Amino acid sequence: MEQPAVEDIAGAMTRLHVQAAEDLAGYLRSLPTEAWEGPTACTEWTVRQLAVHVAGGNIRYAGIAHRALDRPSETRTNNGRAGAQPLDLDSLPGDQLVDTLVANAHDFQKMVGRATSDQLQQMAQLPFGSFPLWSVAAIVAIENVIHNWDARVGSESQARIPVSWSVPVARAMLGWAPTLASGDKAGAEGTYLFEVGDGVGPVTLQVRSDGITITPGRTDDPDVVLHLTSDQYIRLLWGRLKVHQAVQAGDLRTDGDPSQAAQLNKVFAGIGN
């Protein structure tokens, strides 16, 4: 399959980023004040703390785009006003925090949308390495989609990532899987076949003591097969799907030893919160 142009990838990912940010903003605005102190899938964070994290991340990514493109910063931090001085997000009222979260998603989209193909290849520094700007657009979209689910599932146990988001994210996450596989590989070594639904297709994962290899396509002799929705596939790689619990609940089917499948939770243990 031919790789899409970087402009198309970046455009699709920035649109998804904005959709996830605006949807999260709508959810947050709908909550009563006390619900902001409720739990999230990020066990150390309340809803408000998660919102602060997402807003702060969107500010940082907007700044990364400005620096990568060598343009004066227009990052919005003060109730959506361009050029405002950075504020302590923890102290912002909820409505201003939400406005900040969304404004910086739009700012990132605007900057990336103006970039040429060559500019999208400019390297940008993230805490875990340097990546071209078009690839950064993918990771910020993925983070906003995941954290949208994180915020909801604390009070909506059946929350799922919408298929219209999970399919493009599932495809984009393939390149990020080695970075996400930062956990213990001992006991998880083997070949896994992910039969991912929703049109994503099969993915083969090989786990070794020194790392992983993940490729699209089906292997002939896997040790374990996991039948996953695109939502489950994303949450597994991001450390948000407890395999043993999902199997026990009948939400996830495996062919082969389910206890080996559960070892993947050590490999994909999640990155912080």
Side-chain angles (χ1 to χ4, degrees):
M1 185 183 217
E2 186 176 345
Q3 171 82 358
V6 293
E7 299 98 317
D8 294 336
I9 296 173
M13 290 295 103
T14 55
R15 286 192 296 274
L16 179 57
H17 173 196
V18 167
Q19 288 170 12
E22 289 183 339
D23 184 81
L24 176 59
Y27 173 72
L28 293 172
R29 291 185 180 112
S30 75
L31 295 177
T33 302
E34 62 272 15
W36 281 68
E37 302 307 317
T40 69
C42 303
T43 54
E44 297 180 6
W45 290 342
T46 64
V47 170
R48 179 177 175 83
Q49 289 168 326
L50 177 62
V52 167
H53 172 76
V54 177
N58 285 349
I59 289 170
R60 285 190 297 275
Y61 282 114
I64 285 168
H66 286 286
R67 289 190 294 275
L69 298 173
D70 196 25
R71 292 173 177 169
S73 177
E74 300 173 18
T75 300
R76 300 171 174 88
T77 59
N78 186 359
N79 199 20
R81 295 206 309 272
Q85 292 299 311
L87 294 178
D88 177 7
L89 294 175
D90 289 316
S91 69
L92 282 183
D95 58 344
Q96 291 186 27
L97 180 61
V98 169
D99 288 343
T100 298
L101 186 158
V102 173
N104 281 275
H106 280 281
D107 192 22
F108 183 86
Q109 181 186 40
K110 179 175 69 175
M111 294 301 296
V112 173
R114 292 174 180 171
T116 65
S117 178
D118 287 343
Q119 288 174 323
L120 289 171
Q121 300 286 0
Q122 291 288 324
M123 300 303 288
Q125 184 64 44
L126 301 184
F128 42 87
S130 294
F131 302 91
L133 185 57
W134 67 265
S135 187
V136 175
I139 193 63
V140 66
I142 293 168
E143 286 192 10
N144 274 255
V145 166
I146 291 289
H147 287 319
N148 184 299
W149 178 85
D150 286 334
R152 293 174 180 276
V153 77
S155 60
E156 302 173 10
S157 62
Q158 298 303 310
R160 297 291 182 268
I161 299 169
V163 172
S164 61
W165 297 357
S166 62
V167 169
V169 167
R171 291 171 176 151
M173 282 185 72
L174 196 67
W176 290 98
T179 301
L180 296 171
S182 58
D184 184 10
K185 315 298 189 298
E189 296 94 336
T191 301
Y192 301 82
L193 174 60
F194 300 147
E195 293 283 9
V196 186
D198 304 315
V200 175
V203 175
T204 296
L205 170 72
Q206 293 181 315
V207 179
R208 307 177 306 277
S209 60
D210 63 343
I212 71 159
T213 302
I214 188 164
T215 54
R218 186 174 286 108
T219 184
D220 292 332
D221 191 26
D223 297 303
V224 182
V225 180
L226 288 80
H227 300 268
L228 301 157
T229 64
S230 54
D231 160 79
Q232 290 173 324
Y233 172 69
I234 293 166
R235 291 191 286 115
L236 173 62
L237 296 190
W238 206 267
R240 299 294 199 270
L241 177 70
K242 301 302 182 186
V243 172
H244 176 73
Q245 293 177 11
V247 170
Q248 291 295 107
D251 295 330
L252 172 61
R253 181 165 65 87
T254 63
D255 300 333
D257 184 359
S259 65
Q260 181 175 353
Q263 294 296 312
L264 291 173
N265 285 140
K266 296 195 307 180
V267 178
F268 298 102
I271 300 177
N273 268 330

